[in-house]
Amino acid sequence: SMSTGNTERRTANAAAEAIRRTDDTRFTLRGSWDYGQDRQDTDVPPDGSRDSWVLTQRRTYGNAKFDYFVTDPLYAYAAVTGENDIFADLQLRVTYGAGLGYQFFDEARFSLSGEAGVSYVDQRPYTPDLDRKYTAARLAYALRWDISDGTQLLQNVEIFPSLEDKDDVFGKADTRLRTSLTDTMFAQLQWVFDYNNKPAPGTDRQDHRLVLGIGWSF
C-alpha cells in the first residue's frame, strides 16, 4: 500500500505456503515478510534532503516442518523456525524441535491436527549481551475448514513455554479467512498475533497485524 498527502506512507506484505503430502509424509514450508516506511519532514535530515523516509516496520518469518505418519493418524515431526522483528528488538530467533502429532480429522472440507514436542530456542536481540538459549516445550494445532465452496478458514497456533523459566513463554497465532475470486485467485483477511511474556525492555508483550490482500494458489 502507499499513501501521499498529509500522510506519506508505504508498506508491503508478502507470504507463501507450500505443502507436499504423500501417504506417509507431509512437508510444509511457510514464510512471510512485512515492511513499512513513513516520510517525516525534518529541518536538517541526515541525507541533506527536505525530508526522509523512516523505517516503521520490518519483520521476516520462515518455517520448515517434516511429518512422518507412523500409523495414521499418529505422526512424528521435526521442525525449524527462524524469525526477525526489528521493533521487538529481535535480531534472530531460531527454534529447532521434534515431537508427536495427531491428525484428528483429515477430510475434504475439514482438517484438524494437534502437536506436542520439545524445542531448543536460540534468541538473539539487537541489544548486546541479552542473548538467551534454552529448552522449551511446544504445543500447536492446525485447522482448515471449508465453510462453503468458495470460503475457507485457516488457523495455525503454536506456543513455546520454557522448561527452565515458567514465566518465559512466547507464541504465534495466524488466522486467515479466504474467499475465492477465480479458480486460482483469492482474497484474504489475515490476523497475526504474536505474544512474548518476557519481551525486550521497552517493547510490548502483544503484537497484532491485520492484513487484507489477494493471493494465488497453484
Side-chain angles (χ1 to χ4, degrees):
S1 66
M2 179 174 290
S3 60
T4 61
N6 293 316
T7 300
E8 300 276 347
R9 177 173 297 158
R10 55 192 183 192
T11 65
N13 167 275
E17 178 184 70
I19 300 174
R20 183 180 186 274
R21 177 70 191 265
T22 68
D23 290 340
D24 298 326
T25 64
R26 178 172 55 201
F27 188 60
T28 305
L29 291 174
R30 292 189 177 97
S32 63
W33 172 73
D34 297 277
Y35 190 83
Q37 290 182 323
D38 283 1
R39 175 171 279 173
Q40 298 182 356
D41 292 333
T42 56
D43 294 334
V44 186
D47 61 2
S49 63
R50 295 177 57 189
D51 46 33
S52 61
W53 288 98
V54 177
L55 184 68
T56 57
Q57 178 175 258
R58 191 179 70 196
R59 302 182 184 91
T60 53
Y61 172 84
N63 169 263
K65 189 163 77 73
F66 177 75
D67 303 326
Y68 179 76
F69 284 83
V70 183
T71 56
D72 197 4
L74 181 67
Y75 62 90
Y77 77 84
V80 58
T81 298
E83 53 189 317
N84 160 271
D85 188 340
I86 187 171
F87 288 102
D89 195 29
L90 184 61
Q91 183 176 13
L92 180 64
R93 178 166 61 208
V94 181
T95 61
Y96 312 88
L100 293 176
Y102 193 87
Q103 192 74 45
F104 297 100
F105 300 94
D106 193 11
E107 302 170 358
R109 299 182 68 93
F110 186 78
S111 174
L112 176 66
S113 63
E115 298 174 349
V118 178
S119 295
Y120 178 75
V121 181
D122 185 352
Q123 184 167 300
R124 305 173 191 176
Y126 286 97
T127 304
D129 304 322
L130 292 181
D131 293 7
R132 288 188 293 159
K133 300 180 180 180
Y134 58 92
T135 303
R138 178 182 177 270
L139 302 172
Y141 75 84
L143 167 71
R144 175 186 54 80
W145 175 30
D146 290 359
I147 303 172
S148 66
D149 289 341
T151 304
Q152 187 179 57
L153 177 67
L154 302 163
Q155 187 173 60
N156 292 283
V157 177
E158 59 182 352
I159 185 170
F160 295 85
S162 172
L163 298 178
E164 302 174 18
D165 182 353
K166 62 181 180 61
D167 295 326
D168 199 349
V169 181
F170 71 92
K172 178 188 293 289
D174 185 347
T175 304
R176 290 166 282 168
L177 183 63
R178 178 182 296 177
T179 185
S180 299
L181 301 177
T182 67
D183 289 342
T184 59
M185 187 178 181
F186 60 85
Q188 178 174 275
L189 178 64
Q190 181 182 27
W191 171 45
V192 182
F193 171 55
D194 287 292
Y195 180 81
N196 188 348
N197 197 52
K198 292 182 70 174
T203 63
D204 294 332
R205 286 188 175 92
Q206 301 181 22
D207 206 349
H208 302 265
R209 300 191 298 284
L210 194 64
V211 180
L212 179 62
I214 58 172
W216 290 263
S217 60
F218 305 92

